[in-house]
Amino acid sequence: MIPIRRNLHFRLRPHDLGHWHAQGPYVTHFINAMSLFFPEGERYFIHSVRHYRDRIADPALQTAVTAFIGQEAMHGREHEDYNRLLAQAGLPAKELEAHAARFLDLLKARLPAAAQLSVTIAQEHFTAIMAQLVLTDPRLTAGADKRLAALWRWHALEEIEHKAVAFDVYRTVMGRGAAAYVLRSGSMLLTTVGFLGLVLFYQQQLLKADPQVRGAQGFGRFLDFLFRTPGLLPRLALPWLAYFRPGFHPWDHDNRHLLTQMSAVVTQAQRPVLQAA
Ligand SMILES: [Fe+2]
Ligand SMILES: [Fe+2]
């Protein structure tokens, strides 16, 4: 599958990002916290894949890498707009984006290129399995304005479309042997803990700074979101574990039929702002 770079603008409005999630402020800021990670995260993914670009002989994979870079750059740009609105609402978005940048710069400075790429492919699997949920369970984005829901669905669709690109680059440069397996599996364990830890930390900072949140209001509904309705964590468990099969490939789970949702998202992005409500 060759991904396609789509230059879409979702033009979110300030009121799209209030307490938008139907399951309360904890869930709202949990999802907003992911957005805070994305601009720097996407740049890190691009950096780690681009490093190996010259080592790819397969023209189809070369084309896919170019599209992967284009898609991630567009995601970064749209999430920058999302995060700017969070900052305009008085939330510490800039500080938390800067925190993510420092963290990822540290990885770039300290990790060998292969380990950096292994973090990217782990994160790409994680985002692809979350994307599956976003596209198949409306409760993930319940309460979102059409424009905000479309942004998350567009990001999810393109994560599925390009889910194997970084993985195929990794296979090309690292092969399929034991060392490649150990590195990618170890990275998945550390990346999962690191990513969830960062997102929960950012969520707490957003909640603390949000004048509309009182005490632990909505915490019970957040636990419900994580464990029961829709049950984010138990539903991610099996697809997450699939990554540890030695012969795993992202397209073992063929969910390309979901990409039929793309045209609705593109149409939504192209609607004039005033008609979006
Ligand atoms: Fe992305
Ligand atoms: Fe991605």
Side-chain angles (χ1 to χ4, degrees):
M1 150 116 19
I2 305 282
I4 300 164
R5 173 186 171 278
R6 298 172 186 84
N7 184 6
L8 298 180
H9 280 291
F10 290 86
R11 290 166 292 173
L12 300 177
R13 299 151 307 177
H15 60 273
D16 294 341
L17 289 179
H19 284 175
W20 59 268
H21 200 283
Q23 254 166 292
Y26 272 74
V27 177
T28 298
H29 284 320
F30 180 68
I31 298 175
N32 288 344
M34 291 195 199
S35 179
L36 291 178
F37 178 80
F38 279 131
E40 282 304 325
E42 309 284 16
R43 281 192 270 278
Y44 172 92
F45 304 153
I46 290 170
H47 168 86
S48 67
V49 169
R50 191 180 267 151
H51 178 84
Y52 287 108
R53 207 175 191 172
D54 297 344
R55 307 245 312 253
I56 301 163
D58 176 3
L61 186 53
Q62 273 281 5
T63 307
V65 163
T66 302
F68 168 85
I69 290 171
Q71 286 191 338
E72 297 293 38
M74 295 296 105
H75 301 168
R77 184 193 70 193
E78 290 305 295
H79 281 281
E80 272 170 6
D81 281 353
Y82 185 135
N83 301 344
R84 199 171 302 131
L85 291 183
L86 294 175
Q88 280 171 19
L91 297 167
K94 294 231 172 325
E95 294 80 350
L96 296 173
E97 278 186 323
H99 179 276
R102 285 197 299 278
F103 176 73
L104 292 168
D105 282 347
L106 196 69
L107 296 191
K108 283 189 216 166
R110 298 278 165 86
L111 293 181
Q116 291 184 38
L117 184 60
S118 73
V119 168
T120 293
I121 62 170
Q123 193 70 41
E124 284 288 288
H125 180 62
F126 204 80
T127 46
I129 62 180
M130 284 200 300
Q132 165 90 20
L133 286 186
V134 168
L135 296 169
T136 55
D137 191 332
R139 290 174 298 182
L140 268 288
T141 49
D145 169 87
K146 280 182 191 158
R147 212 161 268 275
L148 179 60
L151 184 151
W152 280 113
R153 284 173 54 217
W154 161 68
H155 195 166
L157 284 162
E158 292 194 348
E159 288 307 318
I160 286 177
E161 199 175 40
H162 74 225
K163 67 179 177 174
V165 176
F167 192 90
D168 288 340
V169 171
Y170 182 81
R171 248 191 195 174
T172 302
V173 295
M174 292 295 290
R176 300 173 188 228
Y181 174 75
V182 169
L183 179 60
R184 78 168 173 84
S185 299
S187 288
M188 178 53 107
L189 292 172
L190 295 173
T191 300
T192 302
V193 173
F195 178 67
L196 287 178
L198 271 185
V199 168
L200 289 171
F201 172 67
Y202 294 170
Q203 176 206 32
Q204 287 308 308
Q205 302 309 307
L206 292 173
L207 286 164
K208 266 202 287 191
D210 188 335
Q212 290 181 52
V213 178
R214 288 175 217 297
Q217 166 208 359
F219 183 62
R221 282 183 290 162
F222 177 53
L223 290 182
D224 203 45
F225 179 84
L226 288 184
F227 296 105
R228 234 178 34 179
T229 316
L232 188 68
L233 296 183
R235 289 176 65 191
L236 288 175
L238 280 181
W240 182 81
L241 281 170
Y243 189 81
F244 295 93
R245 269 202 325 268
F248 167 84
H249 185 271
W251 284 115
D252 292 344
H253 177 226
D254 191 347
N255 54 353
R256 70 189 72 199
H257 64 278
L258 293 171
L259 299 177
T260 54
Q261 296 184 26
M262 187 67 85
S263 59
V265 168
V266 171
T267 304
Q268 179 61 45
Q270 288 166 343
R271 289 177 68 196
V273 173
L274 288 176
Q275 291 175 23

